[in-house]
Amino acid sequence: MRDFSADHRWLSLNTATVRKQGDLLEIIDACARHGMRAIDPWRDQVAAVGLDRAARAVRDAGLDLTGYCRGGMFVSDAARRTEVRDDNRRAIDEAKALGSSCVVLVAGGLPQYSRPGSAASKDIAAARGQVHDAIAEMLEYARTANMPLAIEPLHPAYAADRACVNTTRQALDLCDAIDPARTGMLGVALDVYHIWWDAELMAQIARAGKDRILAFHVCDWLVPTRDMLNDRGMMGDGIIDIKPIRAAVEAQGFAGYSEIEIFSNDWWSRPMDEVLRTCIERHKTAV
Ligand code: ZN
């Protein structure tokens, strides 16, 4: 496993971590101030400053993109299928313009939450079927753009409203079904927040192999968690043993960035420079 204790060259910042403190251009400036070499921006942050300006700022700062958040939300009623497809194609186009390494996919849960306005359903099996079909369709477009897709399994607590793909096994099953030849165009984004509890985790990481692990996200799980979405912890403040998970991922050959992704009302209320300084410090000690 790589030694992160001396510097933060393998730190990437998911820009949602400081989304309340500044726009994407300000975040990119802050990354330069703190010697951060990579980010993973969100579509709404890119849209807020304009795709061209965002792409120029990324290029000028010499930043790598460890992902683009996010595509997906594939589950909808029949009336919205075309909208879902086109929206995801635009995500690929934007990722391409920004020079991202992949598009992160959050699958979507039940249709009424995945794509609001859709007719309500309780059929999670149908939702999972739709996710399979929609990723298969999206992958065809992704191949023409040479833009890999990274399925991010989300903790089961989000199964209804955000993602009905909830385990690393499920995400890898989708990869194997849709891309059995392992072309490198379809894989997983592994986020310790979502997967730390899984008794099968280590076996599934070993199953994934290098070509399926496209991104690695870190934060921490606080006890108690006061808000299901926006109370993630800074690495080292919670109960996730991050290093053994990173060791397992790297044992497969993953040699990319550890991307810090913290949605937290607490950390959003602090100055951007304090958050980034803390990220760097914890990246050295807890990641
Ligand atoms: Zn993540």
PDB file of all heavy atoms in Angstrom, residues 14 69 104 152 154 189-191 194 217-218 232 259 261 263, ligand 1:
ATOM      1  N   ASN A  14     -13.496  15.911  -3.849  1.00  0.00           N
ATOM      2  CA  ASN A  14     -14.849  16.004  -4.406  1.00  0.00           C
ATOM      3  C   ASN A  14     -15.388  17.372  -4.010  1.00  0.00           C
ATOM      4  O   ASN A  14     -15.460  17.707  -2.830  1.00  0.00           O
ATOM      5  CB  ASN A  14     -15.736  14.883  -3.871  1.00  0.00           C
ATOM      6  CG  ASN A  14     -17.098  14.875  -4.547  1.00  0.00           C
ATOM      7  OD1 ASN A  14     -17.852  15.834  -4.420  1.00  0.00           O
ATOM      8  ND2 ASN A  14     -17.408  13.815  -5.260  1.00  0.00           N
ATOM      9  N   CYS A  69     -19.477  14.051 -11.200  1.00  0.00           N
ATOM     10  CA  CYS A  69     -20.684  13.675 -10.473  1.00  0.00           C
ATOM     11  C   CYS A  69     -21.877  14.475 -10.974  1.00  0.00           C
ATOM     12  O   CYS A  69     -21.851  15.673 -10.924  1.00  0.00           O
ATOM     13  CB  CYS A  69     -20.518  13.963  -8.986  1.00  0.00           C
ATOM     14  SG  CYS A  69     -19.505  12.742  -8.133  1.00  0.00           S
ATOM     15  N   VAL A 104     -19.355   9.223 -12.720  1.00  0.00           N
ATOM     16  CA  VAL A 104     -19.855   8.453 -11.586  1.00  0.00           C
ATOM     17  C   VAL A 104     -21.371   8.298 -11.732  1.00  0.00           C
ATOM     18  O   VAL A 104     -22.077   9.285 -11.983  1.00  0.00           O
ATOM     19  CB  VAL A 104     -19.518   9.165 -10.260  1.00  0.00           C
ATOM     20  CG1 VAL A 104     -20.122   8.413  -9.082  1.00  0.00           C
ATOM     21  CG2 VAL A 104     -18.007   9.285 -10.094  1.00  0.00           C
ATOM     22  N   GLU A 152     -21.577   3.581  -8.641  1.00  0.00           N
ATOM     23  CA  GLU A 152     -21.294   3.727  -7.210  1.00  0.00           C
ATOM     24  C   GLU A 152     -22.412   3.065  -6.413  1.00  0.00           C
ATOM     25  O   GLU A 152     -23.541   3.563  -6.390  1.00  0.00           O
ATOM     26  CB  GLU A 152     -21.179   5.213  -6.827  1.00  0.00           C
ATOM     27  CG  GLU A 152     -20.834   5.415  -5.355  1.00  0.00           C
ATOM     28  CD  GLU A 152     -20.380   6.836  -5.027  1.00  0.00           C
ATOM     29  OE1 GLU A 152     -20.410   7.705  -5.912  1.00  0.00           O
ATOM     30  OE2 GLU A 152     -19.998   7.071  -3.864  1.00  0.00           O
ATOM     31  N   LEU A 154     -24.596   2.480  -3.307  1.00  0.00           N
ATOM     32  CA  LEU A 154     -24.911   3.336  -2.159  1.00  0.00           C
ATOM     33  C   LEU A 154     -25.456   2.499  -1.011  1.00  0.00           C
ATOM     34  O   LEU A 154     -26.132   1.493  -1.234  1.00  0.00           O
ATOM     35  CB  LEU A 154     -25.947   4.406  -2.552  1.00  0.00           C
ATOM     36  CG  LEU A 154     -25.407   5.812  -2.863  1.00  0.00           C
ATOM     37  CD1 LEU A 154     -24.326   5.777  -3.934  1.00  0.00           C
ATOM     38  CD2 LEU A 154     -26.528   6.743  -3.319  1.00  0.00           C
ATOM     39  N   ALA A 189     -17.262   2.798  -8.581  1.00  0.00           N
ATOM     40  CA  ALA A 189     -16.666   3.812  -7.712  1.00  0.00           C
ATOM     41  C   ALA A 189     -16.932   3.333  -6.291  1.00  0.00           C
ATOM     42  O   ALA A 189     -18.096   3.207  -5.881  1.00  0.00           O
ATOM     43  CB  ALA A 189     -17.304   5.180  -7.954  1.00  0.00           C
ATOM     44  N   LEU A 190     -15.879   3.020  -5.570  1.00  0.00           N
ATOM     45  CA  LEU A 190     -16.039   2.477  -4.221  1.00  0.00           C
ATOM     46  C   LEU A 190     -15.859   3.588  -3.199  1.00  0.00           C
ATOM     47  O   LEU A 190     -14.803   4.220  -3.117  1.00  0.00           O
ATOM     48  CB  LEU A 190     -15.025   1.357  -3.977  1.00  0.00           C
ATOM     49  CG  LEU A 190     -15.211   0.123  -4.876  1.00  0.00           C
ATOM     50  CD1 LEU A 190     -14.158  -0.941  -4.555  1.00  0.00           C
ATOM     51  CD2 LEU A 190     -16.615  -0.466  -4.736  1.00  0.00           C
ATOM     52  N   ASP A 191     -16.921   3.811  -2.431  1.00  0.00           N
ATOM     53  CA  ASP A 191     -16.945   4.883  -1.431  1.00  0.00           C
ATOM     54  C   ASP A 191     -17.067   4.220  -0.062  1.00  0.00           C
ATOM     55  O   ASP A 191     -18.060   3.539   0.215  1.00  0.00           O
ATOM     56  CB  ASP A 191     -18.143   5.794  -1.708  1.00  0.00           C
ATOM     57  CG  ASP A 191     -18.194   7.006  -0.794  1.00  0.00           C
ATOM     58  OD1 ASP A 191     -17.774   6.904   0.378  1.00  0.00           O
ATOM     59  OD2 ASP A 191     -18.677   8.064  -1.242  1.00  0.00           O
ATOM     60  N   HIS A 194     -20.287   4.026   1.940  1.00  0.00           N
ATOM     61  CA  HIS A 194     -21.387   3.161   1.514  1.00  0.00           C
ATOM     62  C   HIS A 194     -21.100   1.680   1.702  1.00  0.00           C
ATOM     63  O   HIS A 194     -22.022   0.874   1.727  1.00  0.00           O
ATOM     64  CB  HIS A 194     -21.714   3.428   0.045  1.00  0.00           C
ATOM     65  CG  HIS A 194     -22.199   4.820  -0.223  1.00  0.00           C
ATOM     66  ND1 HIS A 194     -23.360   5.300   0.330  1.00  0.00           N
ATOM     67  CD2 HIS A 194     -21.690   5.827  -0.964  1.00  0.00           C
ATOM     68  CE1 HIS A 194     -23.549   6.552  -0.071  1.00  0.00           C
ATOM     69  NE2 HIS A 194     -22.555   6.895  -0.842  1.00  0.00           N
ATOM     70  N   HIS A 217     -13.483   6.595  -2.962  1.00  0.00           N
ATOM     71  CA  HIS A 217     -13.934   7.770  -2.211  1.00  0.00           C
ATOM     72  C   HIS A 217     -13.804   7.527  -0.707  1.00  0.00           C
ATOM     73  O   HIS A 217     -14.112   6.433  -0.232  1.00  0.00           O
ATOM     74  CB  HIS A 217     -15.413   8.070  -2.507  1.00  0.00           C
ATOM     75  CG  HIS A 217     -15.697   8.374  -3.948  1.00  0.00           C
ATOM     76  ND1 HIS A 217     -16.975   8.553  -4.431  1.00  0.00           N
ATOM     77  CD2 HIS A 217     -14.864   8.540  -5.015  1.00  0.00           C
ATOM     78  CE1 HIS A 217     -16.925   8.818  -5.726  1.00  0.00           C
ATOM     79  NE2 HIS A 217     -15.666   8.803  -6.107  1.00  0.00           N
ATOM     80  N   VAL A 218     -13.388   8.572   0.003  1.00  0.00           N
ATOM     81  CA  VAL A 218     -13.246   8.436   1.453  1.00  0.00           C
ATOM     82  C   VAL A 218     -13.935   9.576   2.198  1.00  0.00           C
ATOM     83  O   VAL A 218     -14.056  10.694   1.709  1.00  0.00           O
ATOM     84  CB  VAL A 218     -11.759   8.381   1.883  1.00  0.00           C
ATOM     85  CG1 VAL A 218     -11.080   7.151   1.303  1.00  0.00           C
ATOM     86  CG2 VAL A 218     -10.997   9.637   1.485  1.00  0.00           C
ATOM     87  N   ARG A 232     -21.892  13.337   7.023  1.00  0.00           N
ATOM     88  CA  ARG A 232     -20.707  12.495   6.876  1.00  0.00           C
ATOM     89  C   ARG A 232     -19.578  13.082   7.711  1.00  0.00           C
ATOM     90  O   ARG A 232     -19.522  14.291   7.944  1.00  0.00           O
ATOM     91  CB  ARG A 232     -20.256  12.459   5.420  1.00  0.00           C
ATOM     92  CG  ARG A 232     -21.214  11.753   4.481  1.00  0.00           C
ATOM     93  CD  ARG A 232     -20.560  11.652   3.124  1.00  0.00           C
ATOM     94  NE  ARG A 232     -21.425  10.996   2.151  1.00  0.00           N
ATOM     95  CZ  ARG A 232     -20.970  10.355   1.085  1.00  0.00           C
ATOM     96  NH1 ARG A 232     -19.674  10.275   0.856  1.00  0.00           N
ATOM     97  NH2 ARG A 232     -21.795   9.792   0.241  1.00  0.00           N
ATOM     98  N   GLU A 259     -10.264  10.020  -3.167  1.00  0.00           N
ATOM     99  CA  GLU A 259     -11.101  11.216  -3.328  1.00  0.00           C
ATOM    100  C   GLU A 259     -11.905  11.473  -2.055  1.00  0.00           C
ATOM    101  O   GLU A 259     -12.665  10.620  -1.613  1.00  0.00           O
ATOM    102  CB  GLU A 259     -12.037  11.005  -4.517  1.00  0.00           C
ATOM    103  CG  GLU A 259     -13.016  12.140  -4.740  1.00  0.00           C
ATOM    104  CD  GLU A 259     -13.972  11.831  -5.881  1.00  0.00           C
ATOM    105  OE1 GLU A 259     -13.549  11.247  -6.906  1.00  0.00           O
ATOM    106  OE2 GLU A 259     -15.166  12.160  -5.731  1.00  0.00           O
ATOM    107  N   GLU A 261     -14.835  12.983  -0.111  1.00  0.00           N
ATOM    108  CA  GLU A 261     -16.204  13.400  -0.449  1.00  0.00           C
ATOM    109  C   GLU A 261     -17.022  13.461   0.840  1.00  0.00           C
ATOM    110  O   GLU A 261     -17.437  12.438   1.373  1.00  0.00           O
ATOM    111  CB  GLU A 261     -16.827  12.404  -1.434  1.00  0.00           C
ATOM    112  CG  GLU A 261     -18.205  12.798  -1.907  1.00  0.00           C
ATOM    113  CD  GLU A 261     -18.847  11.718  -2.774  1.00  0.00           C
ATOM    114  OE1 GLU A 261     -18.653  10.511  -2.481  1.00  0.00           O
ATOM    115  OE2 GLU A 261     -19.523  12.083  -3.743  1.00  0.00           O
ATOM    116  N   PHE A 263     -20.277  15.219   2.579  1.00  0.00           N
ATOM    117  CA  PHE A 263     -21.477  16.061   2.650  1.00  0.00           C
ATOM    118  C   PHE A 263     -21.762  16.263   4.124  1.00  0.00           C
ATOM    119  O   PHE A 263     -22.145  15.312   4.816  1.00  0.00           O
ATOM    120  CB  PHE A 263     -22.700  15.396   2.022  1.00  0.00           C
ATOM    121  CG  PHE A 263     -22.483  14.804   0.658  1.00  0.00           C
ATOM    122  CD1 PHE A 263     -23.084  13.603   0.315  1.00  0.00           C
ATOM    123  CD2 PHE A 263     -21.698  15.429  -0.290  1.00  0.00           C
ATOM    124  CE1 PHE A 263     -22.906  13.043  -0.940  1.00  0.00           C
ATOM    125  CE2 PHE A 263     -21.509  14.881  -1.547  1.00  0.00           C
ATOM    126  CZ  PHE A 263     -22.123  13.681  -1.867  1.00  0.00           C
TER     127      PHE A 263
HETATM  128 ZN    ZN B   1     -18.868   8.768  -3.307  1.00  0.00          ZN
END
